[in-house]
Structure formats: C-alpha cells, structure tokens
Amino acid sequence: MSDSNSIKGSGHAVCVDDDVDTDMIIAGRYLRTKNKDLWAEHAFEDYDPTIVGRLSCSVIVAGKNFGCGSSREQAAAALKAAGVKAVVAKSFARIFFRNAINLGIPLFEVADFECREGDEVFFDLEEAVVECGGRSYESVRLSDRMNEIIAAGGLIEYLGRRK
Amino acid sequence: MATLSERLLGSPEGSFTDLELSRAYAHDGTGLQALLSFLRMQTKVRYPEKISIIYDHIVPANNSETANLQHELRDFSKEAGFDFRDIGEGICHQVMSEGVCLPGEVVVGADSHTCTLGAFGAFATGVGATDMAAIWATGETWFRVPQTTGVILEGRLKGRAEPKDVALTYVTRLGMDGATYRAIEFTGEGAETTEMEGRLTICNMAIEAGAKAGLFYSDDKTVSYLAEFGKDAARQEPEDCTYADELYLDLDDIVPSISAPHRVDNAVPVDKYEGTPLDQVFVGTCTNGRYEDLKRFADIVRGKKIAVRTIVVPASKTVLQKCIETGVLSDIVAAGCSIGTPGCGPCLGAHMGVLGEGEIGLSTANRNFKNRMGVGAEYYLCSPSTAAASALKGEIANPEEIR
C-alpha cells in the first residue's frame, strides 16, 4: 500500500443531487478525444457549469444513484483529471462504481451522510469511514481486492504489480 | 433453487466469482478508450477470436479527429485478429443479437446497454474501458453475483401497446435506481408470449432501472429466432426460485406510453402529452431500431405524409436489408422520412440529428437525460407506433387513434 495517500485524505465537499447521470458528468459531445484535460474542463457542465471551478482537491458528495446511465469511463476519468479525491454518495450506479474503482478513485457509500458545500470531508478507505463536521460515518465496506485496486491507483497499475 | 443469473454465473447471489467470458465487445467510442488502457498494460491479447469491435456510435465519422481515432482502433483490431465490424454493420448489441450471442453465455460489452442480450438467456452486462482492456489481456473478469428482481408478466399486449411500453412502464414502476446492483428476470405467461425482438427491447432498458442485467429464459421462440441465423441454441427450463423482490405487470393494462423529459422513470399514458408540438421524431437505436419496430412504424405512415422532420435509423445492415426486401423502407421514405446509416444515430448526442436549443423531440431511444440529444432541447421517449402517429400529426399523438 505505498500509495496510501490516495485511499486516506481529505477535501472540500462539492455537493450534487440524486440521480446525477454520466451525461451530466461529461457530455457525449466531448467524448471523442484522448485529451483528459478536456473532460476535466467540461465536467458537470450541463448540470451546473460553476462546479468545475471547485473540483480541484474536492470530495464529491452525492445523493443516490450517482453516475447512472452510460458505461463511459470518461465520467470517472473526468473527475480524476479535475482533482477529485474521493466520492461519497448515498448509492452508486453499478458501472460508474466499477469504473471509478478501476481508475483508483476511493468510493464511499453512506446512506445518511450530512455535509454542506465547502465543508472539509475526511476519508479512510481501509477503515471504510468518512468524517464531516466532527461526525464519523461508516460506509459500505469494499472487498479487499477493490481496496487493493484503488490503493494501486487503478486496475492497470494493480495488474502490473501482480505480474 | 437458483435464479437464472446464479445458474449462468455458477455461484450464489452475493458471492464474487472470476469467470472466463464467452465473448466481449466494444464500439468505436469505448473501444478506443479500452485500447489506450490496454497499451499501458504492455501485454498481449489472450483470446482475440472472442473480441468484437463494432463501429456504431459515430458512423460515418463526423470530423477529422473522430476519423483519426477510428483509424487507430481499426488498425489495431485488424492486427490483433479481433472480429472487426466497420461502419454501417449496425449497433453492437444488435449485431451481437444476430446469431453471435447464444443462451447460457456470459458476455460483457463496453456499453451500458449490453443487458439487451439477456433476452437470449445469456448473462450480459456493461463495463467500462479499463475493465475491457483487462479482459482483452486475460479473457476473464470478476463478477459479484447479483440479487434478482423478478418482473412477472401476465396477460397479453392489446391494440398498439408494444414491448417498449412495457419497458417504459417497468422502469417507471421500479424507478431509475430501483434495481441497482441487481438482475431483472422476466418470467410469467406474458414473458413466454413476447417475441424475441420485444424481449430485446425489454432487456435493453434494464440498465435504466440501474440493473446489471435483464434476462429471459431461452425457449422455443429463442431457438427458432437463432435458427434463422444458422445457430443451434439450447432451451433453459425455469426453476422455482426466490427473488429479492417481485413486480407484477399485467400486459392487458399496458397502454402506449411516454417518458417525459428529463427522466426515464417518468412514463405516463400518451394521452397526457397529446398535442405537444414536435420539432423532430427519431426512430431507431438499440431499443427500437429492429425490423419489427420499423415495420410497425411503416404500417402507420404507409401512404401518408409526415408533418414533422423524422429520422429513421435501422439498427443494423441486416435490418436495413430486410426493410428493403419487404418494402418497409420504401414506405418510410415515401412518407417523407430521412434515413441514416445503421448505427446509434443521434442517440448519444454527438452527431446526425442532434436537436437545437428549445426544440422538442420524440424518440424511440432509451434515455431522455437533459442535454443528451441536444443542449437545451427536450426529449420524450415512446414506442415506434407512437412515434409514427406523432410524426403524421407533428405533435405527440396516440397510435390507438390512427386508423
């Protein structure tokens, strides 16, 4: 676990609603490129164009079903490229959940997480806890393999180490 | 007894399992991203014969950047020995449904609507690009065996109610996250009477309720459908099993429906939006671009003229060919519709039929997310028959009222 910084850390909260879909995270019109910076520049553009300026060193705090819709991995990649440290949601859509793990983004599923825009959110993946406003919340625990993939920085790095 | 997902994945719900895949596929969009991830792995493709690349999302290429990216993946696919299908062959899920995917298989596609293929009694689910890259390298992936929601279909569809209306209805009843992390198994007398093309439509939208897969048991209809494509398929005997939860739908009660902007789980009877003026109608996609869909549309517009611009995109070259041979295509063209290259058309909002700001569209696709098919536009979802009735009037119309 040499990259333990990536699974334990903190960031300011950027709050979004329930059912934020992958088209909202990165629109289809920006997909045909290899340029990850382009995704980072346009993240959440159709949801709220002011969000993008707050993503660096942030923790996304979402409602239920975050990342529903398309299988496009660019949605998770856009968040990573924009400097998002972790995502806390009431629940995640399945493919986004898998994509985010594969790209090494720490995920926390917490049903009753309370926090306001800009609050500092602390997270620890191995302990499966997030903290905000002095209160600690237990998240759904990921499998050991998922945690190892995230700790490695993503699936490709994880497979590379196992060789 | 085991659910169909448990049988196909070979483990009880909740367990994690590593499985070798029967087939894996990607399209021009996700395939390129998978290639970029794969190249970082500095390894070889393990089973190239099991990998398909099907160009459907932006076909033909809309600009030089897309063309260059497509060129890169095309060259790689041919060199790697993949089953490569170039522009115009059709939408990946449809191409896979035409005699490639078989009952009992475990199939993964780098597209969320891979769940379409559960119509054959396969376990088929969508993944992202990095998962796909790892599958190219290893031929396998991990699954968590899902819990299953049973959708029990009773009765029979009447009038111009269609499988698409069933799909819009069950997604609305379950909600957009009502089946997250789950499989949906369609059973009951109504499932048995649903034709294969309708089953594909119904499974296609399982992801819109968040599901990992949507499945029908393989039966006589499955076997005879696949026989048309020269494939022998096995039937699957349903077993008594316990579902995590159940939803009963009486097909007799299903009516032509509309999902209003901007949520899929927003379906109501067409009547509620009757008279809404339209700027464009779009018929096609992996939900409703099959032969039976285009025939339903043609049966209504035949000999008449559409009143609003209408784009029709067959889901595959096979569908297009059948529409030519049966006269369905000439009916559609004679009514004044515009025809696109087999593929996804404007569904993903990248080209060829995207709406302008303030415009209102009606589409047979599976998603009406805000801005998806045009920034500042509104999209309603419906069946091919509702699309046809509405195209003739230039406003949302009930197909039951067309004679």
Side-chain angles (χ1 to χ4, degrees), chain B residues 105-183:
Chain B
E105 291 187 342
V106 179
V107 180
V108 163
D111 187 280
S112 60
H113 292 105
T114 304
C115 52
T116 307
L117 297 168
F120 294 111
F123 191 90
T125 193
V127 295
T130 297
D131 265 333
M132 186 52 63
I135 288 163
W136 291 359
T138 64
E140 59 182 48
T141 195
W142 64 268
F143 294 95
R144 184 170 69 174
V145 182
Q147 289 188 312
T148 298
T149 295
V151 174
I152 293 105
L153 304 174
E154 295 166 336
R156 229 172 226 280
L157 288 174
K158 293 185 303 200
R160 288 204 161 111
E162 296 179 16
K164 176 60 168 292
D165 299 308
V166 178
L168 294 176
T169 303
Y170 87 75
V171 170
T172 298
R173 293 277 293 277
L174 291 173
M176 266 166 64
D177 66 342
T180 302
Y181 309 135
R182 287 193 175 168

Coordinates of all heavy atoms in Angstrom, one line a residue, chain B residues 105-183:
Chain B
E105 N -24.5 -18.1 -22.4 CA -23.2 -17.5 -22.4 C -23.1 -16.4 -21.3 O -24.1 -15.8 -20.9 CB -22.9 -16.9 -23.8 CG -22.8 -17.9 -24.8 CD -22.3 -17.4 -26.2 OE1 -22.5 -16.2 -26.4 OE2 -21.9 -18.2 -27.0
V106 N -21.8 -16.0 -21.0 CA -21.5 -14.9 -20.2 C -20.8 -13.9 -21.1 O -19.7 -14.2 -21.6 CB -20.7 -15.3 -19.0 CG1 -20.4 -14.0 -18.1 CG2 -21.4 -16.3 -18.1
V107 N -21.4 -12.7 -21.3 CA -21.0 -11.8 -22.3 C -20.8 -10.4 -21.6 O -21.7 -10.0 -20.8 CB -22.0 -11.6 -23.4 CG1 -21.6 -10.6 -24.5 CG2 -22.3 -13.0 -24.1
V108 N -19.7 -9.7 -22.0 CA -19.5 -8.4 -21.4 C -19.3 -7.4 -22.6 O -18.6 -7.7 -23.5 CB -18.3 -8.4 -20.5 CG1 -17.8 -7.0 -20.2 CG2 -18.7 -9.0 -19.2
G109 N -19.9 -6.3 -22.5 CA -19.8 -5.3 -23.6 C -19.4 -3.9 -22.9 O -19.9 -3.6 -21.8
A110 N -18.5 -3.2 -23.6 CA -18.2 -1.9 -23.1 C -19.3 -0.9 -23.6 O -19.0 0.0 -24.3 CB -16.8 -1.5 -23.5
D111 N -20.5 -1.1 -23.1 CA -21.6 -0.2 -23.3 C -22.7 -0.6 -22.3 O -22.9 -1.8 -22.1 CB -22.1 -0.4 -24.8 CG -23.2 0.7 -25.1 OD1 -24.3 0.5 -24.7 OD2 -22.8 1.7 -25.7
S112 N -23.3 0.4 -21.8 CA -24.3 0.1 -20.7 C -25.5 -0.8 -21.2 O -26.0 -1.5 -20.4 CB -24.8 1.4 -20.1 OG -25.5 2.2 -21.0
H113 N -25.8 -0.7 -22.4 CA -27.0 -1.4 -22.9 C -26.7 -2.9 -23.4 O -27.5 -3.5 -24.0 CB -27.7 -0.7 -24.0 CG -28.3 0.6 -23.5 ND1 -27.8 1.8 -23.7 CD2 -29.4 0.8 -22.7 CE1 -28.6 2.7 -23.1 NE2 -29.5 2.1 -22.5
T114 N -25.5 -3.4 -22.9 CA -25.2 -4.8 -23.2 C -26.2 -5.7 -22.6 O -26.4 -6.8 -23.1 CB -23.8 -5.1 -22.6 OG1 -22.9 -4.1 -23.2 CG2 -23.3 -6.5 -22.9
C115 N -26.9 -5.2 -21.6 CA -28.0 -6.0 -20.9 C -29.1 -6.5 -21.9 O -29.8 -7.4 -21.7 CB -28.6 -5.3 -19.8 SG -29.2 -3.6 -20.2
T116 N -29.1 -5.8 -23.1 CA -30.0 -6.2 -24.2 C -30.0 -7.8 -24.4 O -31.0 -8.4 -24.7 CB -29.6 -5.5 -25.5 OG1 -29.6 -4.1 -25.3 CG2 -30.7 -5.8 -26.6
L117 N -28.8 -8.3 -24.4 CA -28.6 -9.7 -24.8 C -29.1 -10.7 -23.8 O -29.1 -11.9 -24.1 CB -27.1 -9.9 -25.2 CG -26.6 -9.1 -26.3 CD1 -25.1 -9.1 -26.4 CD2 -27.2 -9.5 -27.6
G118 N -29.5 -10.3 -22.6 CA -30.1 -11.2 -21.7 C -31.4 -11.7 -22.3 O -31.9 -12.8 -21.8
A119 N -31.9 -11.1 -23.3 CA -33.1 -11.7 -24.0 C -32.9 -13.1 -24.5 O -33.9 -13.8 -24.6 CB -33.5 -10.8 -25.2
F120 N -31.7 -13.5 -24.6 CA -31.4 -14.9 -25.1 C -31.1 -15.9 -23.9 O -30.7 -17.0 -24.2 CB -30.1 -14.9 -26.0 CG -30.3 -14.2 -27.3 CD1 -29.7 -13.0 -27.5 CD2 -31.2 -14.7 -28.3 CE1 -29.9 -12.3 -28.7 CE2 -31.3 -14.0 -29.5 CZ -30.7 -12.8 -29.7
G121 N -31.3 -15.4 -22.7 CA -30.9 -16.3 -21.6 C -29.4 -16.3 -21.4 O -28.8 -17.3 -21.0
A122 N -28.7 -15.2 -21.8 CA -27.3 -15.1 -21.5 C -27.2 -14.1 -20.4 O -28.1 -13.3 -20.1 CB -26.6 -14.5 -22.8
F123 N -26.0 -14.2 -19.7 CA -25.8 -13.1 -18.7 C -24.9 -12.1 -19.4 O -23.7 -12.3 -19.7 CB -25.1 -13.7 -17.4 CG -25.0 -12.6 -16.3 CD1 -26.1 -12.6 -15.4 CD2 -24.0 -11.7 -16.3 CE1 -26.1 -11.6 -14.4 CE2 -24.0 -10.7 -15.3 CZ -25.0 -10.7 -14.3
A124 N -25.5 -11.0 -19.7 CA -24.8 -9.9 -20.4 C -24.8 -8.6 -19.7 O -25.9 -8.2 -19.3 CB -25.5 -9.8 -21.8
T125 N -23.7 -8.0 -19.5 CA -23.6 -6.8 -18.7 C -22.6 -5.8 -19.2 O -21.6 -6.2 -19.9 CB -23.4 -7.1 -17.2 OG1 -23.7 -5.9 -16.5 CG2 -22.0 -7.6 -17.0
G126 N -22.8 -4.5 -18.9 CA -21.9 -3.5 -19.4 C -20.8 -3.2 -18.5 O -20.9 -3.3 -17.3
V127 N -19.6 -2.9 -19.0 CA -18.5 -2.4 -18.2 C -17.8 -1.2 -18.9 O -18.2 -0.8 -20.0 CB -17.4 -3.6 -18.1 CG1 -17.9 -4.7 -17.3 CG2 -16.9 -4.0 -19.5
G128 N -16.8 -0.7 -18.3 CA -16.1 0.5 -18.8 C -14.9 0.0 -19.6 O -14.7 -1.2 -19.8
A129 N -14.1 1.0 -20.0 CA -13.0 0.8 -20.9 C -11.8 0.0 -20.2 O -11.2 -0.9 -20.9 CB -12.5 2.1 -21.5
T130 N -11.5 0.4 -19.0 CA -10.4 -0.3 -18.3 C -10.7 -1.8 -18.1 O -9.8 -2.6 -18.2 CB -10.0 0.5 -17.1 OG1 -9.6 1.8 -17.4 CG2 -8.9 -0.2 -16.3
D131 N -11.9 -2.0 -17.6 CA -12.3 -3.4 -17.5 C -12.2 -4.2 -18.8 O -11.7 -5.3 -18.8 CB -13.8 -3.5 -17.1 CG -14.0 -3.6 -15.6 OD1 -13.1 -4.1 -14.9 OD2 -15.1 -3.2 -15.1
M132 N -12.6 -3.5 -19.9 CA -12.5 -4.2 -21.2 C -11.0 -4.4 -21.6 O -10.7 -5.5 -22.1 CB -13.2 -3.3 -22.3 CG -13.3 -3.9 -23.7 SD -14.0 -5.5 -23.8 CE -15.6 -5.3 -23.1
A133 N -10.2 -3.5 -21.3 CA -8.7 -3.6 -21.6 C -8.2 -4.9 -20.8 O -7.4 -5.7 -21.4 CB -7.9 -2.4 -21.2
A134 N -8.6 -5.0 -19.6 CA -8.1 -6.1 -18.8 C -8.7 -7.4 -19.3 O -8.0 -8.5 -19.3 CB -8.5 -6.0 -17.3
I135 N -9.9 -7.4 -19.9 CA -10.5 -8.6 -20.5 C -9.7 -9.0 -21.8 O -9.5 -10.1 -22.1 CB -12.0 -8.3 -20.8 CG1 -12.7 -8.3 -19.4 CG2 -12.6 -9.4 -21.7 CD1 -14.1 -7.7 -19.5
W136 N -9.3 -8.0 -22.5 CA -8.5 -8.3 -23.7 C -7.2 -9.0 -23.3 O -6.8 -10.0 -23.9 CB -8.1 -7.0 -24.5 CG -9.2 -6.3 -25.2 CD1 -10.5 -6.6 -25.2 CD2 -9.1 -5.0 -25.9 NE1 -11.2 -5.7 -25.9 CE2 -10.4 -4.7 -26.3 CE3 -8.0 -4.1 -26.2 CZ2 -10.6 -3.5 -27.1 CZ3 -8.3 -3.0 -26.9 CH2 -9.6 -2.7 -27.3
A137 N -6.7 -8.6 -22.2 CA -5.4 -9.2 -21.7 C -5.6 -10.6 -21.1 O -4.7 -11.5 -21.3 CB -4.7 -8.3 -20.7
T138 N -6.7 -10.8 -20.4 CA -6.8 -12.0 -19.6 C -8.0 -13.0 -20.1 O -8.0 -14.1 -19.8 CB -7.1 -11.7 -18.2 OG1 -8.4 -11.0 -18.1 CG2 -6.1 -10.8 -17.6
G139 N -8.9 -12.4 -20.8 CA -10.1 -13.2 -21.3 C -11.1 -13.4 -20.2 O -12.1 -14.2 -20.3
E140 N -10.9 -12.8 -19.0 CA -11.8 -13.0 -17.9 C -12.0 -11.8 -17.1 O -11.3 -10.8 -17.3 CB -11.3 -14.1 -17.0 CG -9.9 -13.8 -16.4 CD -9.4 -15.0 -15.5 OE1 -9.5 -16.1 -15.9 OE2 -9.0 -14.7 -14.4
T141 N -13.0 -11.8 -16.2 CA -13.3 -10.7 -15.3 C -14.0 -11.2 -14.1 O -14.4 -12.3 -14.0 CB -14.1 -9.6 -16.0 OG1 -14.0 -8.4 -15.3 CG2 -15.5 -9.9 -16.2
W142 N -14.1 -10.3 -13.1 CA -14.8 -10.7 -11.9 C -16.2 -10.2 -11.9 O -16.5 -9.1 -12.5 CB -14.0 -10.2 -10.6 CG -14.0 -8.7 -10.5 CD1 -13.0 -7.9 -11.0 CD2 -14.9 -7.8 -9.9 NE1 -13.2 -6.6 -10.7 CE2 -14.4 -6.5 -10.0 CE3 -16.1 -8.0 -9.2 CZ2 -15.1 -5.4 -9.5 CZ3 -16.8 -6.9 -8.7 CH2 -16.3 -5.6 -8.9
F143 N -17.1 -10.9 -11.2 CA -18.5 -10.5 -11.1 C -18.9 -10.7 -9.6 O -18.4 -11.6 -9.0 CB -19.4 -11.4 -11.8 CG -19.3 -11.3 -13.3 CD1 -18.5 -12.2 -14.0 CD2 -20.0 -10.3 -14.0 CE1 -18.4 -12.1 -15.4 CE2 -19.9 -10.3 -15.4 CZ -19.1 -11.1 -16.1
R144 N -19.7 -9.8 -9.1 CA -20.4 -10.1 -7.9 C -21.8 -10.6 -8.4 O -22.5 -9.9 -9.1 CB -20.6 -8.9 -7.0 CG -21.3 -9.3 -5.7 CD -21.2 -8.1 -4.7 NE -22.1 -7.1 -5.1 CZ -22.4 -6.0 -4.4 NH1 -21.8 -5.8 -3.2 NH2 -23.2 -5.0 -4.8
V145 N -22.2 -11.8 -8.0 CA -23.4 -12.4 -8.4 C -24.6 -11.6 -7.8 O -24.7 -11.4 -6.6 CB -23.6 -13.9 -8.0 CG1 -24.8 -14.5 -8.5 CG2 -22.3 -14.7 -8.5
P146 N -25.4 -11.0 -8.7 CA -26.4 -10.1 -8.2 C -27.6 -10.8 -7.6 O -28.0 -11.9 -7.9 CB -26.9 -9.3 -9.5 CG -26.6 -10.3 -10.6 CD -25.4 -11.1 -10.2
Q147 N -28.3 -10.1 -6.7 CA -29.7 -10.4 -6.3 C -30.6 -10.2 -7.5 O -30.2 -9.5 -8.4 CB -30.2 -9.5 -5.2 CG -29.5 -9.7 -3.9 CD -30.2 -8.9 -2.8 OE1 -30.5 -7.7 -3.0 NE2 -30.5 -9.5 -1.7
T148 N -31.7 -10.8 -7.5 CA -32.6 -10.7 -8.7 C -34.0 -10.1 -8.3 O -34.6 -10.5 -7.3 CB -32.8 -12.1 -9.4 OG1 -31.5 -12.5 -9.8 CG2 -33.7 -12.0 -10.6
T149 N -34.4 -9.2 -9.1 CA -35.8 -8.7 -9.1 C -36.6 -9.5 -10.1 O -36.2 -9.5 -11.3 CB -35.8 -7.2 -9.4 OG1 -35.2 -6.5 -8.3 CG2 -37.3 -6.7 -9.5
G150 N -37.6 -10.1 -9.7 CA -38.5 -10.8 -10.7 C -39.5 -9.9 -11.2 O -40.3 -9.3 -10.4
V151 N -39.6 -9.8 -12.5 CA -40.7 -9.0 -13.1 C -41.6 -10.0 -13.8 O -41.2 -10.7 -14.8 CB -40.2 -7.9 -14.1 CG1 -41.4 -7.3 -14.8 CG2 -39.4 -6.9 -13.4
I152 N -42.8 -10.2 -13.2 CA -43.7 -11.3 -13.6 C -44.7 -10.7 -14.6 O -45.5 -9.8 -14.1 CB -44.3 -12.0 -12.4 CG1 -43.2 -12.8 -11.7 CG2 -45.4 -13.0 -12.9 CD1 -42.8 -12.2 -10.4
L153 N -44.7 -11.1 -15.8 CA -45.6 -10.5 -16.8 C -46.8 -11.4 -17.0 O -46.6 -12.6 -17.3 CB -44.8 -10.3 -18.2 CG -43.5 -9.5 -18.1 CD1 -42.8 -9.5 -19.4 CD2 -43.8 -8.1 -17.7
E154 N -47.9 -10.9 -16.8 CA -49.2 -11.6 -17.0 C -50.0 -11.1 -18.2 O -49.7 -9.9 -18.6 CB -50.0 -11.6 -15.7 CG -49.3 -12.3 -14.6 CD -49.9 -12.0 -13.2 OE1 -50.6 -10.9 -13.1 OE2 -49.7 -12.8 -12.3
G155 N -50.9 -11.8 -18.7 CA -51.8 -11.3 -19.8 C -51.1 -11.2 -21.1 O -50.0 -11.8 -21.4
R156 N -51.6 -10.3 -21.9 CA -51.2 -10.2 -23.3 C -51.3 -8.7 -23.7 O -52.3 -8.0 -23.4 CB -52.1 -11.0 -24.2 CG -51.3 -11.9 -25.2 CD -52.3 -12.8 -25.9 NE -51.9 -14.2 -25.9 CZ -51.0 -14.6 -26.8 NH1 -50.5 -13.8 -27.7 NH2 -50.6 -15.9 -26.8
L157 N -50.4 -8.2 -24.5 CA -50.5 -6.8 -25.0 C -51.7 -6.7 -25.9 O -52.0 -7.6 -26.7 CB -49.2 -6.4 -25.7 CG -48.0 -6.2 -24.8 CD1 -46.7 -5.9 -25.7 CD2 -48.2 -5.0 -23.9
K158 N -52.3 -5.5 -25.9 CA -53.5 -5.3 -26.7 C -53.3 -4.1 -27.6 O -52.5 -3.2 -27.2 CB -54.7 -5.1 -25.8 CG -55.2 -6.3 -25.0 CD -56.5 -6.0 -24.3 CE -56.3 -4.7 -23.4 NZ -57.3 -4.6 -22.3
G159 N -54.0 -4.1 -28.7 CA -54.0 -2.9 -29.6 C -52.6 -2.5 -30.0 O -51.8 -3.4 -30.4
R160 N -52.3 -1.2 -29.9 CA -50.9 -0.8 -30.3 C -50.0 -0.6 -29.1 O -49.0 0.2 -29.2 CB -51.1 0.5 -31.1 CG -51.7 0.2 -32.5 CD -51.3 1.3 -33.5 NE -51.5 0.8 -34.9 CZ -52.4 1.2 -35.7 NH1 -53.3 2.1 -35.3 NH2 -52.5 0.7 -36.9
A161 N -50.3 -1.2 -28.0 CA -49.3 -1.3 -26.9 C -48.2 -2.2 -27.3 O -48.5 -3.3 -27.9 CB -50.0 -1.7 -25.6
E162 N -47.0 -1.9 -27.0 CA -45.8 -2.6 -27.5 C -44.8 -3.0 -26.4 O -44.9 -2.4 -25.3 CB -45.0 -1.8 -28.5 CG -45.8 -1.4 -29.8 CD -45.0 -0.6 -30.7 OE1 -43.8 -0.5 -30.5 OE2 -45.7 0.0 -31.6
P163 N -43.9 -3.8 -26.7 CA -42.8 -4.1 -25.7 C -42.1 -2.9 -25.1 O -41.8 -2.8 -24.0 CB -41.8 -5.0 -26.5 CG -42.7 -5.7 -27.4 CD -43.7 -4.7 -27.9
K164 N -42.0 -1.8 -26.0 CA -41.4 -0.6 -25.5 C -42.2 0.0 -24.4 O -41.7 0.6 -23.4 CB -41.2 0.4 -26.6 CG -40.6 1.8 -26.2 CD -39.3 1.7 -25.6 CE -38.6 3.0 -25.4 NZ -38.2 3.6 -26.7
D165 N -43.5 -0.1 -24.5 CA -44.4 0.5 -23.5 C -44.3 -0.3 -22.2 O -44.3 0.2 -21.1 CB -45.9 0.5 -24.0 CG -46.0 1.4 -25.2 OD1 -45.6 2.5 -25.2 OD2 -46.6 0.9 -26.2
V166 N -44.0 -1.6 -22.3 CA -43.7 -2.5 -21.2 C -42.5 -2.0 -20.5 O -42.4 -1.9 -19.3 CB -43.6 -4.0 -21.6 CG1 -43.3 -4.8 -20.4 CG2 -44.9 -4.5 -22.3
A167 N -41.4 -1.7 -21.3 CA -40.1 -1.3 -20.8 C -40.3 0.0 -20.0 O -39.8 0.2 -18.9 CB -39.1 -1.2 -21.9
L168 N -40.9 1.0 -20.7 CA -41.1 2.3 -20.0 C -41.9 2.1 -18.7 O -41.6 2.8 -17.7 CB -41.8 3.3 -20.9 CG -41.1 3.7 -22.2 CD1 -42.0 4.6 -23.1 CD2 -39.8 4.4 -21.9
T169 N -42.9 1.2 -18.7 CA -43.7 1.0 -17.5 C -42.9 0.4 -16.4 O -43.0 0.9 -15.2 CB -44.9 0.2 -17.9 OG1 -45.6 0.8 -18.9 CG2 -45.9 0.0 -16.7
Y170 N -42.2 -0.7 -16.7 CA -41.5 -1.3 -15.6 C -40.3 -0.5 -15.0 O -40.1 -0.5 -13.8 CB -41.0 -2.8 -15.9 CG -39.7 -2.9 -16.6 CD1 -38.5 -2.8 -15.9 CD2 -39.6 -3.3 -17.9 CE1 -37.3 -3.0 -16.5 CE2 -38.4 -3.5 -18.5 CZ -37.2 -3.3 -17.8 OH -36.0 -3.5 -18.4
V171 N -39.7 0.3 -15.9 CA -38.6 1.2 -15.4 C -39.3 2.3 -14.5 O -38.7 2.6 -13.4 CB -37.9 1.9 -16.6 CG1 -36.9 3.0 -16.0 CG2 -37.0 0.8 -17.3
T172 N -40.4 2.8 -14.9 CA -41.1 3.8 -14.0 C -41.5 3.2 -12.7 O -41.4 3.8 -11.7 CB -42.3 4.3 -14.8 OG1 -41.8 5.0 -16.0 CG2 -43.1 5.4 -14.0
R173 N -42.1 1.9 -12.8 CA -42.5 1.3 -11.5 C -41.3 1.0 -10.6 O -41.5 1.2 -9.4 CB -43.3 0.0 -11.8 CG -44.6 0.2 -12.6 CD -45.7 0.6 -11.6 NE -46.1 -0.6 -10.8 CZ -46.9 -1.6 -11.1 NH1 -47.4 -1.6 -12.3 NH2 -47.1 -2.6 -10.3
L174 N -40.2 0.6 -11.1 CA -39.0 0.3 -10.3 C -38.3 1.6 -9.9 O -37.7 1.6 -8.8 CB -38.1 -0.7 -11.0 CG -38.6 -2.1 -11.2 CD1 -37.6 -2.8 -12.1 CD2 -38.8 -2.8 -9.9
G175 N -38.3 2.6 -10.8 CA -37.5 3.8 -10.6 C -36.1 3.6 -11.1 O -35.6 2.5 -11.3
M176 N -35.5 4.8 -11.4 CA -34.2 4.7 -12.1 C -33.1 4.0 -11.3 O -32.0 3.7 -11.8 CB -33.7 6.2 -12.4 CG -34.1 6.6 -13.8 SD -33.9 8.4 -14.1 CE -32.2 8.6 -13.9
D177 N -33.2 3.9 -10.0 CA -32.2 3.1 -9.2 C -32.9 1.9 -8.5 O -32.3 1.4 -7.6 CB -31.5 4.0 -8.2 CG -32.4 4.5 -7.1 OD1 -33.7 4.5 -7.3 OD2 -31.9 5.0 -6.0
G178 N -34.1 1.6 -9.0 CA -34.8 0.5 -8.3 C -34.3 -0.9 -8.4 O -34.6 -1.8 -7.6
A179 N -33.4 -1.1 -9.3 CA -32.8 -2.4 -9.5 C -31.2 -2.3 -9.5 O -30.5 -3.2 -10.0 CB -33.3 -3.1 -10.8
T180 N -30.7 -1.3 -8.9 CA -29.2 -1.1 -8.9 C -28.6 -2.3 -8.2 O -29.0 -2.7 -7.1 CB -28.9 0.2 -8.1 OG1 -29.5 1.3 -8.8 CG2 -27.4 0.5 -8.1
Y181 N -27.5 -2.7 -8.8 CA -26.7 -3.9 -8.4 C -27.5 -5.2 -8.5 O -27.1 -6.3 -8.1 CB -26.2 -3.8 -6.9 CG -25.5 -2.6 -6.5 CD1 -25.8 -1.9 -5.4 CD2 -24.5 -2.0 -7.4 CE1 -25.1 -0.7 -5.0 CE2 -23.8 -0.9 -7.0 CZ -24.2 -0.2 -5.9 OH -23.5 0.9 -5.5
R182 N -28.6 -5.2 -9.2 CA -29.5 -6.4 -9.3 C -29.6 -6.8 -10.7 O -29.3 -6.1 -11.7 CB -30.9 -6.1 -8.8 CG -30.9 -6.0 -7.3 CD -32.3 -6.1 -6.8 NE -32.2 -6.1 -5.3 CZ -33.3 -5.9 -4.5 NH1 -34.5 -5.7 -5.1 NH2 -33.1 -5.9 -3.2
A183 N -30.0 -8.1 -10.9 CA -30.5 -8.5 -12.2 C -32.0 -8.5 -12.2 O -32.6 -8.5 -11.1 CB -30.0 -10.0 -12.5

